[in-house]
Amino acid sequence: MVDTSPRTGSPASQDTDLPVIGGGPAGCAAARMAAGVGMRSVLIEPDALCRNLYRIPALNNVLGGHTSGPALADAITAELRSTEPCRLELGRQVVELRADHDHVTATLDTGARLTAPYAVVATGVGPLQPCDVPWITVPSGLTLPPLWQADADDGEGRTLLVLGGDRPIGTFLRAHPDTDTRLLVAYPEADAYKVEEIRDDPRVTLLPVARLTLRPSEEGAATADVVGQDGARRVVTADATYVSIGNAPTAPSGDLVRSADGYCPPAGQHPRIIVAGDLRSARFQRIMTALGSGSEAALRAYYAARDPSPPS
């Protein structure tokens, strides 16, 4: 059950074996694995299960024969909805997570509290905008659509300026192999490792930049003043601008330990808080690693709950 009584130093009882915070691939895998070993779990997700998977039109790095994000999301969602003893709390958000010596307490946005021996946190990441990074200057208040929102018609016969070198660029190119488009990808030095997978695509022109200033344009066209990583200056123009800057970690407040980049490395957490999926680091944001880490997180909670020695 969910505890709605005022918080005290220690809850009177444990409400579930394992709250799972976040309903993406990692969270769903954690809940499924928990059920497989007989643990009662509650999966808490403010949106739809696997919502970000529905935005990925093409897949090339997952097992099971799924070639699109929606197909994989449908399969995961259908399986989880039939999984017992997992309870889904959709449309709810954990606003605070606290860890004590013998339990964790998750406070929901309704004010209800859920207590358990351990918790899996798999809240993942959310998209960044140009105002969130220091190397881009844009007019005040301007927001730009992420590249994953563009379809084939948006790119057909056009030049698109893409700010940032994050991996949805490769997904866009694989999803639209016959689209006659040109991508001008402006990216900082920190994104160099991300653009390797698109470097040889003839539709891509890479623009390594130190700074970029986007000028207001009419009818959606884009003009940008660019300072390259070599110090050279140039002006680039395009028919439209999209962002693929990356994402920022999203996690509830409380006792999660964040590193300087905002991520929550698993090794630095309280022993009763287990981090899974994209929230762990920027370099391993893949569907397969998220699924594996979620399953491993549930098993870690399962074995830890049966260990007679207290976590250190």
Side-chain angles (χ1 to χ4, degrees), residues 6 8 13 25-26 28 77 83 90 106-107 117 121 123 148 159 164 186 193 202 216 231 247 272 288 292 301:
T8 59
S13 63
C28 289
T77 298
T83 294
L90 303 182
T107 302
V121 185
T123 47
W148 56 259
T159 297
Y193 74 98
N247 300 285
R272 293 193 178 275
M288 288 296 290

Side-chain angles (χ1 to χ4, degrees), residues 65-87:
H66 300 289
T67 58
S68 75
L72 178 58
D74 285 345
I76 292 174
T77 298
E79 182 166 351
L80 198 62
R81 287 188 179 278
S82 63
T83 294
E84 296 289 346
C86 172
R87 188 174 88 243

